[in-house]
Amino acid sequence: MAKYYTMSLFLVSTFLHFLLVHCQSPLAKALYVFGDSLSDSGNNNFLQTVAKVNYTPYGIDFPSGPTGRFTNGRTQVDFLAQLLDLPFAPPFLGLSTSDKINIKTGINYASGAGGILPESGTAQGEKLSFGKQIKYFEDTVLLKKFSTDFQNDLSKSIFYISIGSNDYINNYLQPANYNSSQIYTPQQYADLLVKGLILGLTKLYVLGARKFTVFNVGRLGCLPAVVDTANPRPTTPCVEAVNNLVLLYNNKLPGAITELERVLVGSTFVRGDGYGLNKTSAEAGITAQQTPCCAVNGVGLCVPNSTPCPDRTLVIFYDAFHPNQAVNNAQANDCFSGSSSFSNISILFSYEKLMANYYCIAFLFFSSFLDFLLVKCESPLAPALYVFGDSLSDSGNNNFLKTEAKVNYKPYGIDFPSGATGRFTNGKTFVDFIAQSLRLPYAPPYLGLSAKDKINIKTGVNYASGSAGILLESGTALGENLSFDKQINYFQDTTGFLKTISADLQTYLSNSIFVISIGSNDYINNYLQPARYKSSKTYTPQEYADLLLNGLVGGLKKLYSLGARKFVVFNIGRIGCAPGIVYNANPKPITLCVEDANNLVLYFNKKFPRTIAELERSLVGSTFVRGDIYRMNQTSSEAGISTVQTSCCAVGGNGLCLRGSPPCSRVTEVWDAFHPTEVVNKAVASDCFGGSTFCTPINVQQLVQKL
């Protein structure tokens, strides 16, 4: 573990050095902090309370001395702010009205002795409960309501919540001061706290929060204040009865957070493990477990002006309740860069190690970091991303065509930063997420580019078109589209433009990534519509599959001849499970999907791997990643999605969302009658980029590294 931690610090410092050299802006817009004394940066200085630490030896290792932080130096949120390249979040109660209006980098509302319940901690005097902290944040929002960018900034800010300890230490475990232990059983009390936390998080979401880090409650039974006052003294290092009490809350929290994330569309939650805080000694090189660094008074705080222990890096606890700066640093670094946030781009560690060893187990900083890389860093993983396909990839080309397959209106784009763009989903497409992972801008729609853009753009272009297929005629009953061949012709035009600005066009193109996802409409909007197309009368299912494969291979060969070398090519999805197919089936299927439609697609998909492998052997220097969209409808367990065949929006006869209709409040797998939601796109892209489920025989990250 010591070797692992040393490596962690080296990699973290290397990564931070990279940020320092290459990036000039913070990873998030702001950091908003809600919590108790573990996070308080000075709010209690302005309250009448004994839970106040604006004196030495507190702050002895902080640059400006005692500030009201309950430790010798920085808190965990201070270190997180540093990692996000943000200033320390100042205490709300110390800000003037002008500061509250003008500050843009975040505010700290945490309060020592504060809890989820309003009454927790009141025996010590004034404090800010979780509800009061949220009320002050609401005041902040109201003060800034005239700022046009503020609401957008909130969705890109990090909301850090670490609260609940005082609901036990300064409430349930003090029957002389509080009656909660007489009113509630331990499980009822845990349920009450979880409910209060969820209500608070929901209110923060309503006020604009989208990215949350939420910690459980720590091992309170291992605190020196609890161990030293236990009667009788425990035979183990900790008072396990207290730890077991906390576990009733901690065991219920993950499910509640997961359910909340499903309900709050567009939200992302990191679950932080405060319970693991007392297990950091091995990782941080800390040997002493339960001896405070300072002499403590009757309430467990350092005696004013007392002399602390000389080597503060070798203890966990600074006083009888709070960790020292070294522990805060270790946990902040682990939470920031030790989670699966970065596993998909392999900056730090493998997924298996992360799940076994790390505290933070969600994807919050992944999206924050990639949004940041999108704009601020100079070294993308590939020169460009070129996209060919249908509505699963279209980023707006159909906006410029005469077609029914057009979605430049709400509720499409409801979770996309710039609203409705022509993407056939609520937010980002899977190629948007791949672009982020490649540190590239989203590939813009070719038809939306000006003549000047077409000449100058070097980071890639999107040629995909809703309703388009491999065959020229597919989808034409809906109006105009860009068939696969037409998309390739436009790319050929692009290579002509690039010759005028690229000194080494072949190297540039050979290192660029080419994503191709097309073929669904050759079934949905061709073969399965005998009233409009004659293909089903002309070809047997196998003959038609062969026709499509030949067309796909012909297109890929042409892209190769134009300079493409690195391909990501997808098969065809389970179209028989799309609501648009299931709803219109006659007779209604007795299974969840129309298996006849799925079996039709399998004629194509079964020959797809061998066809692509043979093509790779014949095209010298080419590398192909095979993507498996057919498995996309099996992602519910991976993505935490419960429904498969219920559209999130009300759909019209063409299977698209009705203009202006309100979408569902829960995160589902299917957006309209044919297209997945952003959460599925993210799961598929994330795995395809750095995993091994949807893309084989290598993933996109490995493709990038191919010489």
Side-chain angles (χ1 to χ4, degrees):
M1 291 304 291
K3 184 183 294 184
Y4 149 79
Y5 185 73
T6 301
M7 185 178 294
S8 305
L9 289 180
F10 169 74
L11 290 170
V12 168
S13 61
T14 303
F15 172 64
L16 292 176
H17 179 260
F18 164 80
L19 290 181
L20 182 64
V21 173
H22 290 282
C23 303
Q24 301 172 353
S25 294
L27 302 186
K29 288 292 185 180
L31 175 64
Y32 293 97
V33 180
F34 304 81
D36 49 34
S37 53
L38 293 175
S39 310
D40 189 350
S41 61
N43 280 304
N44 276 25
N45 296 346
F46 304 91
L47 299 174
Q48 296 294 321
T49 175
V50 297
K52 189 181 300 187
V53 292
N54 54 348
Y55 57 84
T56 58
Y58 291 100
I60 193 170
D61 297 310
F62 194 80
S64 55
T67 59
R69 287 167 167 83
F70 287 71
T71 185
N72 57 306
R74 297 173 176 83
T75 65
Q76 182 178 329
V77 290
D78 291 331
F79 285 112
L80 284 176
Q82 289 179 326
L83 291 166
L84 290 167
D85 201 22
L86 288 166
F88 298 148
F92 177 83
L93 295 182
L95 297 175
S96 66
T97 301
S98 176
D99 291 336
K100 292 171 186 175
I101 293 173
N102 294 320
I103 198 164
K104 294 182 177 181
T105 54
I107 295 174
N108 188 316
Y109 304 88
S111 172
I116 296 170
L117 303 181
E119 64 271 21
S120 297
T122 51
Q124 293 185 307
E126 295 178 332
K127 46 78 200 173
L128 307 182
S129 67
F130 189 34
K132 185 67 172 178
Q133 294 175 37
I134 295 171
K135 178 61 174 65
Y136 279 141
F137 174 68
E138 185 176 17
D139 293 343
T140 304
V141 172
L142 291 174
L143 285 170
K144 294 172 177 284
K145 65 181 178 180
F146 298 112
S147 172
T148 55
D149 296 327
F150 180 62
Q151 201 65 33
N152 185 51
D153 288 350
L154 285 181
S155 68
K156 298 176 181 177
S157 298
I158 305 301
F159 285 75
Y160 178 100
I161 299 94
S162 177
I163 200 163
S165 296
N166 288 303
D167 294 290
Y168 287 99
I169 296 171
N170 288 306
N171 190 330
Y172 201 79
L173 291 171
Q174 291 193 25
N177 293 324
Y178 305 90
N179 62 1
S180 54
S181 60
Q182 284 96 50
I183 298 174
Y184 304 102
T185 66
Q187 187 60 66
Q188 288 172 338
Y189 191 67
D191 294 345
L192 179 69
L193 296 184
V194 170
K195 182 179 179 181
L197 180 70
I198 294 300
L199 287 173
L201 295 173
T202 302
K203 186 161 188 180
L204 288 174
Y205 174 87
V206 170
L207 292 169
R210 291 298 181 268
K211 298 181 177 182
F212 301 84
T213 302
V214 184
F215 278 80
N216 61 12
V217 175
R219 291 174 176 251
L220 305 183
C222 300
L223 298 177
V226 174
V227 175
D228 293 345
T229 57
N231 188 10
R233 290 280 292 185
T235 57
T236 57
C238 303
V239 182
E240 294 305 335
V242 174
N243 287 339
N244 292 335
L245 195 65
V246 166
L247 281 176
L248 295 174
Y249 173 87
N250 287 353
N251 290 340
K252 186 145 189 174
L253 189 62
I257 294 296
T258 299
E259 180 64 21
L260 185 64
E261 187 172 22
R262 291 174 184 168
V263 171
L264 303 183
V265 177
S267 67
T268 309
F269 284 80
V270 165
R271 298 194 306 271
D273 188 7
Y275 196 79
L277 180 66
N278 297 119
K279 296 191 295 183
T280 61
S281 56
E283 292 95 322
I286 301 164
T287 56
Q289 287 286 327
Q290 291 156 306
T291 304
C293 182
C294 68
V296 298
N297 58 23
V299 292
L301 300 179
C302 295
V303 173
N305 303 317
S306 59
T307 302
C309 59
D311 193 345
R312 291 175 288 281
T313 64
L314 296 180
V315 296
I316 284 183
F317 295 103
Y318 192 63
D319 57 21
F321 290 102
H322 306 100
N324 75 356
Q325 177 176 260
V327 175
N328 289 332
N329 188 18
Q331 194 176 28
N333 273 301
D334 187 277
C335 190
F336 180 81
S337 55
S339 76
S340 51
S341 309
F342 291 113
S343 64
N344 293 326
I345 47 180
S346 294
I347 289 182
L348 294 180
F349 303 96
S350 70
Y351 178 78
E352 290 79 9
K353 287 183 180 178
L354 298 169
M355 293 306 292
N357 298 311
Y358 293 163
Y359 301 125
C360 297
I361 54 176
F363 297 95
L364 170 64
F365 289 109
F366 173 70
S367 57
S368 299
F369 175 69
L370 293 177
D371 285 342
F372 160 75
L373 286 178
L374 177 65
V375 180
K376 298 296 180 185
C377 287
E378 301 171 356
S379 300
L381 302 185
L385 174 66
Y386 290 99
V387 179
F388 304 81
D390 49 34
S391 52
L392 294 176
S393 311
D394 190 349
S395 62
N397 280 304
N398 276 27
N399 295 347
F400 303 91
L401 299 174
K402 294 179 179 179
T403 175
E404 292 179 37
K406 190 181 299 190
V407 290
N408 54 347
Y409 57 85
K410 289 182 179 180
Y412 291 98
I414 193 170
D415 297 309
F416 194 79
S418 53
T421 59
R423 288 167 166 82
F424 287 71
T425 184
N426 57 307
K428 300 179 182 74
T429 65
F430 77 93
V431 290
D432 291 330
F433 285 111
I434 288 177
Q436 287 183 337
S437 297
L438 291 170
R439 307 179 192 172
L440 288 167
Y442 303 142
Y446 178 83
L447 296 182
L449 297 176
S450 66
K452 183 179 179 181
D453 290 336
K454 291 174 183 175
I455 293 173
N456 293 321
I457 197 162
K458 297 182 70 174
T459 54
V461 178
N462 188 316
Y463 306 90
S465 173
S467 81
I470 297 170
L471 303 181
L472 183 65
E473 65 271 19
S474 295
T476 51
L478 294 172
E480 296 176 333
N481 67 42
L482 307 182
S483 67
F484 187 36
D485 190 58
K486 183 67 172 176
Q487 294 176 37
I488 295 170
N489 288 340
Y490 278 139
F491 172 69
Q492 185 171 14
D493 293 343
T494 299
T495 61
F497 296 133
L498 289 171
K499 286 178 182 178
T500 65
I501 60 171
S502 178
D504 191 350
L505 180 60
Q506 186 54 51
T507 298
Y508 161 84
L509 290 176
S510 66
N511 287 312
S512 296
I513 304 299
F514 289 74
V515 175
I516 299 94
S517 175
I518 200 164
S520 295
N521 288 303
D522 294 292
Y523 287 98
I524 296 172
N525 287 305
N526 191 329
Y527 201 80
L528 290 172
Q529 292 193 25
R532 294 178 170 179
Y533 303 92
K534 60 182 180 180
S535 53
S536 61
K537 303 177 182 69
T538 306
Y539 305 101
T540 66
Q542 187 59 68
E543 289 172 341
Y544 191 67
D546 292 342
L547 178 69
L548 296 183
L549 285 166
N550 289 336
L552 178 65
V553 167
L556 295 173
K557 285 181 176 179
K558 186 168 183 180
L559 287 174
Y560 175 87
S561 71
L562 292 169
R565 292 296 181 270
K566 296 182 177 182
F567 300 85
V568 183
V569 187
F570 284 84
N571 63 10
I572 298 173
R574 291 175 175 252
I575 60 174
C577 299
I581 301 295
V582 175
Y583 294 161
N584 295 319
N586 189 10
K588 280 293 250 189
I590 57 174
T591 57
L592 293 175
C593 303
V594 180
E595 294 304 336
D596 285 347
N598 286 337
N599 292 335
L600 197 62
V601 165
L602 283 176
Y603 285 103
F604 178 96
N605 285 352
K606 286 180 178 178
K607 293 187 79 169
F608 175 78
R610 186 179 66 205
T611 300
I612 295 299
E614 290 174 352
L615 182 62
E616 184 174 22
R617 285 194 290 269
S618 67
L619 301 181
V620 178
S622 67
T623 306
F624 283 81
V625 171
R626 299 191 304 272
D628 191 1
I629 289 186
Y630 195 79
R631 294 193 63 189
M632 187 164 71
N633 297 120
Q634 295 175 315
T635 61
S636 57
S637 59
E638 292 98 316
I641 303 159
S642 57
T643 62
V644 174
Q645 292 160 301
T646 303
S647 302
C648 186
C649 66
V651 299
N654 58 5
L656 300 179
C657 296
L658 295 175
R659 187 179 295 270
S661 60
C664 61
S665 59
R666 290 175 59 87
V667 177
T668 62
E669 184 169 303
V670 181
W671 174 244
D672 56 23
F674 291 103
H675 307 100
T677 54
E678 179 184 74
V679 69
V680 173
N681 289 330
K682 182 176 182 179
V684 172
S686 176
D687 184 274
C688 192
F689 184 83
S692 58
T693 302
F694 299 115
C695 287
T696 55
I698 61 175
N699 57 39
V700 176
Q701 184 184 13
Q702 293 164 331
L703 177 65
V704 167
Q705 297 165 354
K706 274 276 189 179
L707 298 177

